[in-house]
Amino acid sequence: MRLTIASGAATFTAAILLYPLFDGGTWFWSSLGAVLAVMAAGMVSSRLSLPAWAAPALALAVTGVYLTMSFAAEEAWGLVVPTKASVLELGRLLGVGWDDIQRFAAPVPDTEGIVLLTTGGVSLIAILVDLFAARLRRAALAGLPLLALATVPATILPDPISWPAFIIAAFGFVGLLVADGRERIGHWGRAVLVRRTRMAATPSQGVAGRTAAPARQAAAADTSGLRLSGKRIGFAAIALAVLVPALLPAMEPVSFFQFGVGGSGTGGRGNSISIPNPIAGLRGQLELPERRIVLTYASNDSQPRYLRIYALDTFDGQQFGMTKPKGAVANRTDNGPLPEPPGLTGRTDVTNVTTDIEISDQVTELMFLPLPYPPREIQVDGDWRADVDTLMVFSTRDEAAGLDYRVLTSEPAPTRELLESLPFDRDAVDPRFLALPDDLPAEIRALPRRIVGEVSSPYEAAVKLQKWFTEDGGFTYNLRTQGHGNSALADFLLHSRTGYCEQFAASMAVLARLMGIPSRVAIGYTGGSAVGGQWQVGTNDSHSWPELYFEGVGWLPFEPTPSGSLGQGSARAPAYSVPAPESTGDSSTPTPGATSSAGTDEIAPGQQQNPRAVDRESQLLAGGLPAPEESSPVLGKVVLGVAGLLLVLLIPAAARVVTRNRRVRALDRQPAGPRDEVTARAATGRVPSVTAAWAELDDVLYDYGLARQTSETPRALARRLVQQYEFGADAAAALSAIASAVERALFARDPGSTGPLRKELRTVRQAIAATVSRRRRIRAVLLPPSTLRRLRGLGERLLDGFDLLETIRLRRTAAEKGS
């Protein structure tokens, strides 16, 4: 049963690694109950001596009952026994949980479906660990399912695993290995001793009493030394796993441009394509510790432009999603021009631009092309197809990594006057671009009319909405927010007003739909930075923005996210989206690509500058990127690592100094007279000053490699040192005084009066130091062996403490009952 308990403990400690994935603690208690249920099933299997194949079956049955009680009790018979209705309810909740984890970014809420999915997964891990460790006696293989629990947060979260959680999980696995080792070593010792007992009893067969006593000795075989060595190895490995990476310079993974939940995409193959979670990938790129180049591009007009990857057109009340793109063979890029952009009917002038784009070969599993909108023609190798409704270009076979391609675009150049005069026809666009959930809070539904007031056109309403986000609404940019769902949307719009581009884009798109303006959310990259005649786009240029539809010019981007050093550094508000300047005598007017007033670098009182934002204005003027964003401060990390290592190495020396000072203070606190010394000895069994002097002398000898022998008395030690190392008269007298005081304190009824012994200790220490090499003296100061011995003893006592858990007996053995 010990292995069953150790297996459950190892599973639950490994499950603690999942805590950063959840916004709540329901999953924790539910998973704990599941592990306890599996442990109970394992104990029953051990008690009944069930075969190895039957134990997992019993554990699965018990887990099913537990999940039924916890999540489908109303449909179960007697709230416990599973029924067809309870099984169907569990299946429904599993489907809901799977959809929820695809929709939410970590930390996810504790919805019932997510908790069920987590609890079931932990249960299966617990069953596998119990099977490997307790049934098949392969405890090392049990580390594989435990590793599966550790890989979940490691692959989803951008931040590293918390080291306290890692240590707890590692202790659980080491405890499992220790329990397994104790079982194996204990059985091995009994088998050998029993065999030797039988061999000894061979000459006198029939005398049962001669074999009984040795057999009991076999049951008490001493395996503590082997177990202690295993614990030392395990704990040393955990310490190295935590300390060594902390002292080394940080290294980034090679694949850092992945899309999907947790930053890993799931590109499809064959004739279908899997839709990733662009929002999770967006935040993952923005939170990377260092900027990485995603792509470079150059255009014939040398102007920066947004590069769209995804167009999210559906809003379910939680977040914007993407309708699965459809690309017929006729819409392949190598068949010539792409479908006409929706809504662009020639009411406005267009600018024909040619853009050459080169994707980094380190981008992984990206099956959509970053493109300026609207693309007219694309020259690219591979099977790439355009979605007719959104003009997203995707592939079911090829990936974008390492691609070079050319894009020809016909970009509309609308004026404010034109946008004001456009007709408004809600029936001219697909209803999905106006759809909103019925349970949208009333406060949000009333918000846009309060913001824009009376307007003459949808365009004017859109401009006022953007201005509210960038100037009038008091919004701030911050990556450390989590925003999905009606409550998060209401909190962002009505209360906190703090978020990053996802919240700004989604919120403006929702408010635009409430005003009757078709909208969607685009995800891709901003224009980046000019470097050497090209534009470089990095991970920190990842961005989300709303696109609004106006019949006659089609889909136009707007920019509600603050830009500059207070927001998304390279965001740019289009000229048509900025309100017309008031007449001030200044003839200057905004130009295409100019930054809105919200993008200035002036910091309002009480506002904090975004630490991850990059001021792109200064980059454009300097013609390059600032060194802190581009180069990793490897030298600084190495220096910090070396300094940290030195501090760790100086810990024994510092401990030795503290111990010596404490003893010296004890030497100074002398009793008032012989009577007080006798009283102190009667109360404590020793004279404090003499004890401190003797302990300090013992450590000094050990530090310099002159440790006393076990059977050596203080007087014999003094005589040997004086003769062997030829101490001078002062050193010999000091050593003799210390030895005499120690012997009187140990053996005399009345030890008499004792001097401070401080001067004697200093004289002896100097004499001993003069007898050894310089190397030995340096070691005694920096790495004193006496302190290391004390630390080693403390570690052994801590490790031995775990033996208390191993001596727990759930039932008395037959031998114990007989005695």
Side-chain angles (χ1 to χ4, degrees):
M1 291 189 182
R2 181 185 294 111
L3 283 177
T4 299
I5 297 175
S7 299
T11 302
F12 188 68
T13 54
I16 293 176
L17 294 170
L18 302 177
Y19 82 91
L21 301 178
F22 299 93
D23 186 15
T26 307
W27 72 273
F28 180 88
W29 302 110
S30 181
S31 299
L32 175 60
V35 173
L36 293 177
V38 174
M39 287 176 57
M43 291 181 181
V44 172
S45 298
S46 299
R47 180 74 175 179
L48 300 179
S49 300
L50 296 180
W53 62 267
L58 178 61
L60 285 173
V62 172
T63 300
V65 172
Y66 171 77
L67 294 179
T68 300
M69 293 172 55
S70 302
F71 300 95
E74 295 181 356
E75 286 76 16
W77 185 78
L79 303 179
V80 176
V81 180
T83 62
K84 180 180 179 180
S86 66
V87 173
L88 292 177
E89 175 64 13
L90 290 177
R92 185 190 68 82
L93 287 176
L94 286 175
V96 172
W98 180 257
D99 292 338
D100 286 344
I101 65 173
Q102 299 299 319
R103 188 166 66 244
F104 292 108
V108 298
D110 267 351
T111 64
E112 193 173 15
I114 291 178
V115 173
L116 172 60
L117 201 61
T118 305
T119 305
V122 173
S123 301
L124 291 178
I125 296 295
I127 293 173
L128 289 176
V129 172
D130 181 76
L131 173 63
F132 285 130
R135 312 304 154 194
L136 302 180
R137 296 299 175 91
R138 297 292 186 269
L141 288 179
L144 294 178
L146 295 177
L147 183 62
L149 282 175
T151 56
V152 174
T155 54
I156 290 179
L157 297 175
D159 297 327
I161 294 176
S162 170
W163 65 265
F166 169 78
I167 291 178
I168 294 174
F171 277 170
F173 183 55
V174 169
L176 176 60
L177 295 179
V178 168
D180 179 70
R182 180 185 175 97
E183 291 287 328
R184 291 176 179 274
I185 294 174
H187 289 311
W188 173 81
R190 285 194 293 272
V192 171
L193 290 179
V194 168
R195 182 178 178 183
R196 293 177 61 183
T197 302
R198 289 174 180 174
M199 292 176 62
T202 301
S204 54
Q205 295 179 357
V207 184
R210 296 185 179 181
T211 60
R216 300 187 70 176
Q217 293 179 359
D222 184 14
T223 60
S224 60
L226 292 175
R227 295 199 307 273
L228 182 59
S229 297
K231 294 174 187 175
R232 289 174 179 172
I233 295 173
F235 282 82
I238 296 173
L240 290 175
V242 173
L243 294 177
V244 172
L247 298 177
L248 294 177
M251 300 179 66
E252 297 297 331
V254 174
S255 299
F256 36 69
F257 305 129
Q258 297 177 344
F259 286 89
V261 176
S264 60
T266 55
R269 291 295 183 267
N271 295 323
S272 63
I273 182 169
S274 297
I275 300 176
N277 188 323
I279 290 178
L282 167 68
R283 180 167 181 172
Q285 293 199 51
L286 287 173
E287 289 184 336
L288 285 175
E290 294 182 6
R291 181 178 186 268
R292 302 295 184 182
I293 302 301
V294 180
L295 60 88
T296 58
Y297 69 93
S299 59
N300 58 350
D301 62 356
S302 301
Q303 293 296 317
R305 45 185 40 85
Y306 283 17
L307 302 174
R308 191 192 65 173
I309 303 177
Y310 306 109
L312 312 183
D313 50 11
T314 61
F315 183 68
D316 60 0
Q318 300 290 339
Q319 68 178 18
F320 273 88
M322 180 170 60
T323 301
K324 192 169 184 178
K326 300 176 182 178
V329 176
N331 296 326
R332 285 182 51 149
T333 56
D334 53 8
N335 288 339
L338 303 183
E340 291 294 328
L344 185 57
T345 60
R347 288 177 176 266
T348 180
D349 296 333
V350 296
T351 303
N352 294 320
V353 181
T354 301
T355 306
D356 294 313
I357 302 175
E358 181 178 354
I359 306 290
S360 170
D361 56 5
Q362 295 182 4
V363 177
T364 60
E365 298 184 4
L366 177 58
M367 307 184 74
F368 290 73
L369 294 182
L371 300 170
Y373 185 85
R376 186 179 76 250
E377 186 175 346
I378 302 175
Q379 301 172 10
V380 60
D381 294 332
D383 184 3
W384 296 91
R385 308 184 182 191
D387 178 62
V388 176
D389 294 333
T390 62
L391 294 186
M392 291 186 299
V393 175
F394 65 95
S395 176
T396 60
R397 299 182 178 88
D398 302 319
E399 296 186 8
L403 274 183
D404 297 330
Y405 53 96
R406 171 168 291 183
V407 185
L408 283 70
T409 55
S410 297
E411 301 174 0
T415 62
R416 297 186 184 91
E417 294 74 16
L418 173 64
L419 293 173
E420 284 278 6
S421 63
L422 289 176
F424 180 61
D425 184 6
R426 297 186 57 168
D427 297 332
V429 70
D430 193 309
R432 74 175 186 269
F433 296 112
L434 287 168
L436 289 170
D438 296 333
D439 59 347
L440 197 65
E443 298 90 341
I444 297 180
R445 291 186 178 274
L447 185 60
R449 288 296 177 184
R450 196 165 67 243
I451 296 172
V452 303
E454 295 296 329
V455 293
S456 59
S457 65
Y459 162 74
E460 184 181 355
V463 171
K464 287 189 175 183
L465 285 176
Q466 175 178 286
K467 187 172 182 290
W468 183 69
F469 282 104
T470 57
E471 297 183 30
D472 303 334
F475 288 85
T476 57
Y477 182 91
N478 194 333
L479 283 176
R480 296 299 177 185
T481 56
Q482 179 67 36
H484 298 315
N486 286 340
S487 60
L489 180 65
D491 179 71
F492 175 72
L493 289 173
L494 304 175
H495 305 294
S496 70
R497 298 193 176 180
T498 299
Y500 67 107
C501 55
E502 174 203 341
Q503 282 85 15
F504 284 97
S507 297
M508 183 171 175
V510 170
L511 296 185
R513 291 189 178 189
L514 288 171
M515 294 295 298
I517 307 173
S519 65
R520 64 190 183 191
V521 172
I523 290 183
Y525 298 99
T526 59
S529 307
V531 178
Q534 289 184 326
W535 293 88
Q536 284 188 352
V537 176
T539 49
N540 61 326
D541 295 311
S542 301
H543 193 45
S544 177
W545 63 93
E547 292 181 339
L548 276 55
Y549 180 85
F550 299 93
E551 184 63 30
V553 296
W555 292 97
L556 296 179
F558 282 74
E559 188 51 86
T561 304
S563 59
S565 59
L566 294 181
Q568 217 291 349
S570 53
R572 293 290 182 269
Y576 56 78
S577 68
V578 180
E582 298 180 0
S583 177
T584 58
D586 187 357
S587 60
S588 61
T589 58
T591 57
T595 309
S596 67
S597 58
T600 60
D601 293 341
E602 298 178 1
I603 303 177
Q607 258 187 326
Q608 293 183 351
Q609 183 170 346
N610 175 21
R612 293 188 49 83
V614 182
D615 184 3
R616 299 297 174 180
E617 297 289 347
S618 60
Q619 292 178 11
L620 295 176
L621 293 175
L625 294 175
E629 288 290 324
E630 286 301 313
S631 60
S632 174
V634 177
L635 181 59
K637 294 179 181 179
V638 172
V639 172
L640 290 177
V642 172
L645 180 60
L646 290 177
L647 289 176
V648 171
L649 294 178
L650 289 176
I651 290 177
R656 182 71 177 92
V657 171
V658 171
T659 302
R660 182 184 295 120
N661 291 337
R662 177 173 53 81
R663 289 168 177 168
V664 168
R665 288 194 298 271
L667 291 176
D668 293 338
R669 293 194 296 268
Q670 290 297 320
R675 185 182 301 274
D676 292 341
E677 287 199 351
V678 174
T679 303
R681 181 183 178 188
T684 63
R686 56 187 181 181
V687 180
S689 59
V690 176
T691 301
W694 181 244
E696 179 62 21
L697 177 61
D698 186 64
D699 281 354
V700 169
L701 293 174
Y702 195 81
D703 288 341
Y704 289 108
L706 309 177
R708 64 184 179 88
Q709 301 174 7
T710 305
S711 61
E712 209 168 23
T713 64
R715 184 178 303 178
L717 171 65
R719 183 169 55 250
R720 178 175 65 83
L721 292 176
V722 170
Q723 294 176 356
Q724 183 175 353
Y725 298 102
E726 299 180 354
F727 285 173
D730 294 340
L735 187 57
S736 298
I738 296 174
S740 176
V742 172
E743 287 190 340
R744 292 201 309 272
L746 290 175
F747 306 115
R749 176 176 298 179
D750 182 3
S753 179
T754 304
L757 298 178
R758 182 174 183 177
K759 180 179 178 182
E760 286 78 1
L761 267 177
R762 184 171 61 252
T763 302
V764 172
R765 185 169 62 248
Q766 293 173 353
I768 292 175
T771 64
V772 298
S773 63
R774 178 180 299 177
R775 179 179 180 182
R776 174 73 69 173
R777 291 197 297 270
I778 294 175
R779 180 190 175 190
V781 174
L782 298 180
L783 291 173
S786 60
T787 301
L788 299 179
R789 175 182 60 178
R790 194 169 289 108
L791 292 175
R792 183 170 61 251
L794 176 62
E796 291 178 356
R797 288 193 295 273
L798 290 176
L799 295 178
D800 287 337
F802 286 90
D803 286 337
L804 296 177
L805 299 177
E806 300 175 3
T807 58
I808 296 177
R809 292 287 189 274
L810 299 180
R811 55 176 179 168
R812 298 176 61 190
T813 61
E816 291 173 340
K817 293 178 180 179
S819 62

